[in-house]
Amino acid sequence: LKHPAEFMLGMCTVLVGTTVWLTLATLYGLPVSSTHSVVGALIGLGLISGWGINYSGLRSILLSWLLSPLIGGVISCSLYMIVRKFIIETDSPAKATRRLLPFVSASTLFILSMFILSKGQISATVTRDTALIVSAAIALAAAGISGAAATAIRSRKTLKKRIQEQEQTEQSETESIFKVLQVVTACLLSFSHGSNDVSNAIGPFAAVNAVYTGDFQRTGNIITPAWILFL
């Protein structure tokens, strides 16, 4: 960089502007996104400073904003139709749930594992083959654990029914088994949402730190120290 001090100051203004806007929007109950705020602040900095804008990267961001809701809607609709056809509308929903839960859990953990191993700094030390093997192993473990949990829930519910002499309905048992998967998907959602917010918050700050330590690269491959992630 020709003017590192100006660059560091510019990243600080991005952080301040984003913080002020998010605070005001939250105060007045306005719908707000940290991603949109940071991207908008960076665009403004690029325009006012004369440093320019990476239009290729900006197009990718805008395209993801447009496609993500559509793709998410299609996937959610497809999954619901599969669950309805092969579980809810069957003669024995609870039995169908116990049969399919390991496959659903394995798929969920495989996607999560690949997401973690293929993105961020860890991807620089893990090859694609290693990521596939590790993700497959985690998926198999998740399938076994979820299958055992479903069986345990069935056994516990059956014992409870015998003790209390109450009949356990198929719908109630199905919901009990799906609670296991709900915990897994809630963890996945929290992780992905949290990682997005963390990257938005530390992106400009990591760039400032990279310039200060002399590790800045124009390619954008910045190694973020662990202490920044804990801030």
Side-chain angles (χ1 to χ4, degrees), residues 4 14 32 34 40 54 63 71 81-83 86 109 127 131-132 150 152 169 174 180 192 200 204 208 216 222 224:
V14 169
V32 66
S34 59
N54 184 353
L63 188 62
I71 296 175
M81 293 176 64
I82 292 173
V83 170
F86 293 101
L109 266 297
T127 63
L132 287 172
T169 63
T174 302
V180 179
S192 60
N200 292 332
V208 171
F216 181 81
I222 298 175
T224 304

Side-chain angles (χ1 to χ4, degrees), residues 141-165:
I145 294 174
S146 61
T151 303
I153 292 173
R154 171 64 176 173
S155 301
R156 179 174 60 84
K157 292 297 183 180
T158 302
L159 180 60
K160 182 179 179 180
K161 178 185 66 176
R162 291 176 179 176
I163 294 177
Q164 299 178 350
E165 295 182 355

Side-chain angles (χ1 to χ4, degrees), residues 15 18 33-36 38-39 195-204:
L15 289 174
T18 301
S33 167
S34 59
T35 303
H36 292 68
V38 171
V39 171
S195 62
N196 177 70
D197 287 343
V198 169
S199 64
N200 292 332
I202 69 172

Side-chain angles (χ1 to χ4, degrees), residues 42-231:
L42 288 172
I43 292 175
L45 175 63
L47 292 175
I48 198 67
S49 64
W51 294 336
I53 299 174
N54 184 353
Y55 287 100
S56 176
L58 182 59
R59 282 194 296 269
S60 299
I61 294 174
L62 296 177
L63 188 62
S64 68
W65 288 350
L66 294 174
L67 294 181
S68 293
L70 298 177
I71 296 175
V74 171
I75 294 176
S76 298
C77 181
S78 301
L79 290 176
Y80 175 75
M81 293 176 64
I82 292 173
V83 170
R84 185 178 63 181
K85 178 176 179 62
F86 293 101
I87 294 180
I88 298 176
E89 295 180 350
T90 60
D91 296 333
S92 179
K95 183 178 180 180
T97 301
R98 290 194 301 272
R99 184 175 64 251
L100 294 178
L101 182 61
F103 298 99
V104 178
S105 300
S107 301
T108 302
L109 266 297
F110 180 81
I111 295 174
L112 173 60
S113 301
M114 285 297 296
F115 173 77
I116 296 174
L117 297 175
S118 302
K119 296 292 184 179
Q121 296 177 192
I122 193 174
S123 62
T125 58
V126 178
T127 63
R128 179 57 60 89
D129 292 339
T130 301
L132 287 172
I133 294 174
V134 173
S135 300
I138 295 175
L140 291 175
I145 294 174
S146 61
T151 303
I153 292 173
R154 171 64 176 173
S155 301
R156 179 174 60 84
K157 292 297 183 180
T158 302
L159 180 60
K160 182 179 179 180
K161 178 185 66 176
R162 291 176 179 176
I163 294 177
Q164 299 178 350
E165 295 182 355
Q166 295 179 354
E167 182 179 2
Q168 181 74 22
T169 63
E170 286 280 339
Q171 184 65 26
S172 179
E173 184 178 350
T174 302
E175 293 175 356
S176 298
I177 297 175
F178 259 103
K179 289 178 182 178
V180 179
L181 188 58
Q182 284 180 322
V183 173
V184 176
T185 54
C187 293
L188 172 60
L189 177 62
S190 300
F191 180 85
S192 60
H193 188 78
S195 62
N196 177 70
D197 287 343
V198 169
S199 64
N200 292 332
I202 69 172
F205 185 74
V208 171
N209 179 75
V211 173
Y212 179 77
T213 57
D215 296 329
F216 181 81
Q217 300 178 14
R218 284 188 174 274
T219 57
N221 297 322
I222 298 175
I223 302 299
T224 304
W227 65 269
I228 294 182
L229 296 176
F230 284 106
L231 291 179

